[in-house]
Amino acid sequence: MKIKVWINDKAIATHIDGDTMLIDVLREKGYKSVKCGCDTTNCGLCTVWLEGRPVLSCAVPAARADGKHVTTLEGVAEEAEAFGRFMAAQGAEQCGYCSPGLIMNVLAMAREMKRPTETQIKEYLAGNLCRCTGYEGQYRAIRNYLAVTQGDYQLFGKGEVIEGVR
Amino acid sequence: MYTIRTFKRVESLEEAYELNQKKTTTILGGGMWLRLGNRQIQAAVDLSGLGLDTIEETDDAFVIGCMTPLRDMEVHPGLNRYFQDMIRDCLKDIVGVQFRNTATIGGSLYGRFGFSDPLTALLVLDTTVEMYKGGMIPLEDFVDMPYDRDILVRVHIRKDGRRCAYQSFRNTRTDFPVLTAAVSSKDGIWRAAVGARPKKAALIAGAAKLPERPEKKDVGALAKEARDTLKYEDNMRASADYRKILTGVLLERAVEAVCGGMDHED
Ligand SMILES: Cc1cc2nc3c(=O)[nH]c(=O)nc-3n(C[C@H](O)[C@H](O)[C@H](O)COP(=O)(O)OP(=O)(O)OC[C@H]3O[C@@H](n4cnc5c(N)ncnc54)[C@H](O)[C@@H]3O)c2cc1C
Ligand code: FES
Ligand code: FES
C-alpha cells in the first residue's frame, strides 16, 4: 500500500507492506539515528515522535503513520546537540548506543512537563534502557539540562551545586 | 513477529465486524502484544479512523473508546481525580511512556491477560465493556467469557462515588507484575480483586463481608479466602507460595490506602 508521511516536516510518499513497521520506513529513507535495540518492545532505543508523542517505532505499523507527522533525532538536531553537551559534561555515556532513544524521550518530556520532579523524570524515562551505565550520569545531565532550559535552578534545591553546565 | 497481508482501515464498525468473522482476520489495537506473536494475519483491521480514541466524562460515567492509548487514561485529570489516582497507579509501570502512547485499553481488556494491571483495577470499579454485537457486558462477566469474534467498542466506568486503591508488586520496575491487587469500597461494601497469580484477575467473593472499616485480621481472612479459592501458580517471576504471601501484603496496603490507615489489634 502507499502511504504519505511527513518526516521532520518533509512529505515523503512510499510503498509499504501490511506489516512494515515505522522504523523500517525511517531507516530506509535515511533516518539512521533510529535504531532497533530489542525484540520485545522494551528498550526504547527506537523512540520517535508521532504527532509529537514519543512512540516505539519498532512496534508502530507504518500504515498507522499515513498522513501523520513523524519526528526523528535528525529533526531536532539542535536541541539534541544542546542536550548532548550536558551528557558529555557528565561523561554519561559509555558505548552511547542507547542515546538516540533517550534523547528523543528526554526532549519529549521537556515539552510535556514543566519542572518535573525526580520521580516524574524517572517514571517518564523508565522505558529507556541502558546496558552499560547505572543511569546516574544521564540523570545528572537531565537535571542540569532542565534546570537551564526551564529556567528554575531551585528545582533540585537543597543547595546542590549544578555541575557541568557549559 | 506477525505477518500482515492487508492492512485494512475500516470506515465503520459494521465493516470491521463483517471482516472479523473470518478466522484469518485480526483486529489491531495498538498491536503491541500482537506483534510479539507469530500470527499470520490475512487482514488486519485498523479501527483508528473511527474516532474511538477519546475519554468522555458524562454525568454518571467515564466512556473510553477502545483505541484510547493507556497513556491518555494515565494522565487524564478527571479519571484520576474521580478514582483517586488508581487509573494512573495501574498503568504507570507498564513498560514505558512510549509504549503506553501506543498500547490501547481495548486491546488490554479484550486480551484478558493474566498479568494485566488495568484488568485487576477496573474489576473493582463498576466497569462495563460495550461490545459491538454483544452489547453491554459487566467486566466481571467478560473476564471469563471465551474469546469470540466481536469487537470491544468502548469501556464504561460508572461514577458511583467509590473509594479505591491499586497495588502491584514487580521484581523490577516496568517488568510484568508478580502480583496485582485492587480494592474499592462504596457505602461500606467492599470489592477486592487479585491478578497476575499468574492467572488473570478475579474478584474475591468474601470482600462483601468485610466490615466498613476492616481491621488487619479481617483483611487477613480475605487474603486467606483468596489463597484458598483462587488458583495460584509458579512461573519464572515467582512461585505460587510467594504470590500467596504477597496477596495479604498487597490487600492490606490497598485497604489501608482506601481507609487512610488501619486499626491494628496489636
Ligand atoms: C513487552 C510487553 C510488556 C507488557 N507489560 C505489561 C504489564 O506489565 N502490565 C500490563 O497490564 N500489561 C502489559 N502488557 C500488555 C499491554 O499493556 C497491552 O495490554 C497489550 O499490548 C495489548 O494492547 P494493544 O493495544 O497492544 O493490543 P493488540 O496487541 O493490538 O491486541 C491484543 C488482542 O486484542 C484484540 N483486540 C484489540 N483491540 C480490540 C478491540 N477493540 N476489540 C476486539 N479485539 C481487540 C487483538 O485482536 C488481539 O487479540 C505488556 C505488553 C508487552 C508487549
Ligand atoms: S527496538 Fe527496543 S523498544 Fe523498539
Ligand atoms: S551507554 Fe551503552 S547502552 Fe547506554
Side-chain angles (χ1 to χ4, degrees):
Chain A
M1 68 191 281
K2 203 174 162 201
I3 59 165
K4 185 176 166 194
V5 189
W6 278 267
I7 307 178
N8 303 329
D9 288 329
K10 187 173 154 204
I12 291 182
T14 188
H15 284 276
I16 57 162
D17 293 329
D19 47 20
T20 303
M21 290 298 173
L22 180 55
I23 191 171
D24 302 321
V25 172
L26 295 172
R27 288 188 60 83
E28 189 203 297
K29 296 297 170 193
Y31 300 92
K32 294 287 172 68
S33 73
V34 189
K35 297 183 185 70
C36 180
C38 73
D39 282 338
T40 53
T41 336
N42 267 124
C43 74
L45 177 56
C46 61
T47 302
V48 301
W49 302 345
L50 186 59
E51 295 293 318
R53 294 172 69 143
V55 297
L56 301 171
S57 62
C58 71
V60 173
R64 282 256 166 95
D66 188 22
K68 301 233 165 85
H69 291 82
V70 177
T71 310
T72 70
L73 193 73
E74 289 87 348
V76 287
E78 242 173 65
E79 268 173 88
E81 204 187 315
F83 175 62
R85 280 197 292 273
F86 285 84
M87 294 268 278
Q90 296 298 330
E93 291 168 317
Q94 288 187 29
C95 79
Y97 193 68
C98 60
S99 287
L102 176 74
I103 294 172
M104 286 311 283
N105 215 25
V106 167
L107 298 182
M109 175 180 72
R111 278 171 165 67
E112 197 178 315
M113 297 198 285
K114 288 301 158 224
R115 301 193 286 149
T117 62
E118 173 171 347
T119 310
Q120 285 174 320
I121 292 173
K122 290 189 172 167
E123 261 177 31
Y124 204 99
L125 302 173
N128 289 87
L129 305 185
C130 173
R131 290 298 291 258
C132 303
T133 74
Y135 302 103
E136 287 299 319
Q138 282 94 333
Y139 180 63
R140 288 196 302 273
I142 292 161
R143 292 193 332 174
N144 292 351
Y145 175 74
L146 290 175
V148 170
T149 56
Q150 301 197 345
D152 187 349
Y153 285 84
Q154 300 307 307
L155 174 60
F156 299 109
K158 294 181 212 140
E160 279 179 88
V161 179
I162 295 174
E163 293 163 11
V165 177
R166 298 251 167 97
Chain B
M1 204 181 101
Y2 60 41
T3 59
I4 297 176
R5 261 192 99 76
T6 50
F7 189 96
K8 189 85 186 92
R9 189 170 302 145
V10 293
E11 315 232 307
S12 70
L13 282 168
E14 182 58 28
E15 184 187 358
Y17 183 81
E18 292 286 316
L19 285 166
N20 199 35
Q21 298 319 298
K22 273 202 171 158
K23 280 229 161 66
T24 50
T25 298
T26 296
I27 305 281
L28 203 61
M32 307 300 268
W33 182 256
L34 276 173
R35 188 184 80 100
L36 297 187
N38 45 17
R39 222 183 269 189
Q40 293 184 356
I41 302 170
Q42 285 298 319
V45 171
D46 180 22
L47 306 173
S48 62
L50 304 180
L52 289 168
D53 57 352
T54 59
I55 303 174
E56 280 166 45
E57 181 172 2
T58 68
D59 284 346
D60 55 2
F62 288 93
V63 181
I64 306 163
C66 61
M67 292 299 289
T68 304
L70 298 181
R71 175 77 179 163
D72 288 9
M73 291 175 66
E74 174 190 350
V75 299
H76 192 272
L79 264 177
N80 284 298
R81 204 177 310 119
Y82 199 87
F83 295 111
Q84 308 118 55
D85 283 336
M86 177 160 88
I87 304 300
R88 190 194 104 80
D89 289 346
C90 78
L91 298 171
K92 69 178 174 57
D93 290 323
I94 302 177
V95 190
V97 166
Q98 305 99 307
F99 181 95
R100 300 194 297 280
N101 272 335
T102 307
T104 63
I105 189 63
S108 297
L109 293 187
Y110 184 82
R112 285 158 277 185
F113 305 108
F115 51 74
S116 181
D117 293 283
L119 184 63
T120 313
L122 295 184
L123 264 180
V124 301
L125 302 181
D126 187 343
T127 308
T128 308
V129 294
E130 176 188 339
M131 303 301 291
Y132 181 62
K133 285 285 154 167
M136 302 289 276
I137 304 175
L139 183 62
E140 59 179 287
D141 298 335
F142 185 68
V143 165
D144 296 318
M145 281 168 56
Y147 297 98
D148 58 15
R149 311 213 62 82
D150 206 348
I151 296 167
L152 197 162
V153 184
R154 292 182 191 84
V155 181
H156 299 245
I157 313 177
R158 215 159 72 80
K159 286 160 61 178
D160 62 358
R162 208 167 271 283
R163 300 213 32 92
C164 53
Y166 181 76
Q167 289 283 326
S168 74
F169 182 85
R170 291 171 143 81
N171 288 333
T172 174
R173 192 171 214 167
T174 74
D175 189 12
F176 289 104
V178 167
L179 196 82
T180 60
V183 304
S184 72
S185 160
K186 175 176 157 45
D187 304 331
I189 311 282
W190 288 82
R191 281 165 79 100
V194 186
R197 306 183 316 278
K199 296 275 179 207
K200 67 188 163 200
L203 288 165
I204 314 169
K209 294 193 300 256
L210 281 179
E212 187 161 352
R213 273 193 74 86
E215 291 176 18
K216 211 176 150 94
K217 67 168 172 25
D218 302 315
V219 183
L222 184 69
K224 181 172 185 321
E225 180 188 333
R227 287 194 291 269
D228 293 346
T229 58
L230 303 178
K231 204 164 172 200
Y232 284 74
E233 283 173 10
D234 303 339
N235 71 359
M236 66 187 282
R237 286 188 175 72
S239 66
D241 286 345
Y242 186 55
R243 291 188 155 95
K244 287 181 178 178
I245 294 168
L246 283 175
T247 299
V249 178
L250 297 193
L251 284 174
E252 203 175 290
R253 284 181 191 165
V255 169
E256 213 156 4
V258 168
C259 294
M262 201 189 306
D263 302 330
H264 294 258
E265 286 174 301
D266 43 10

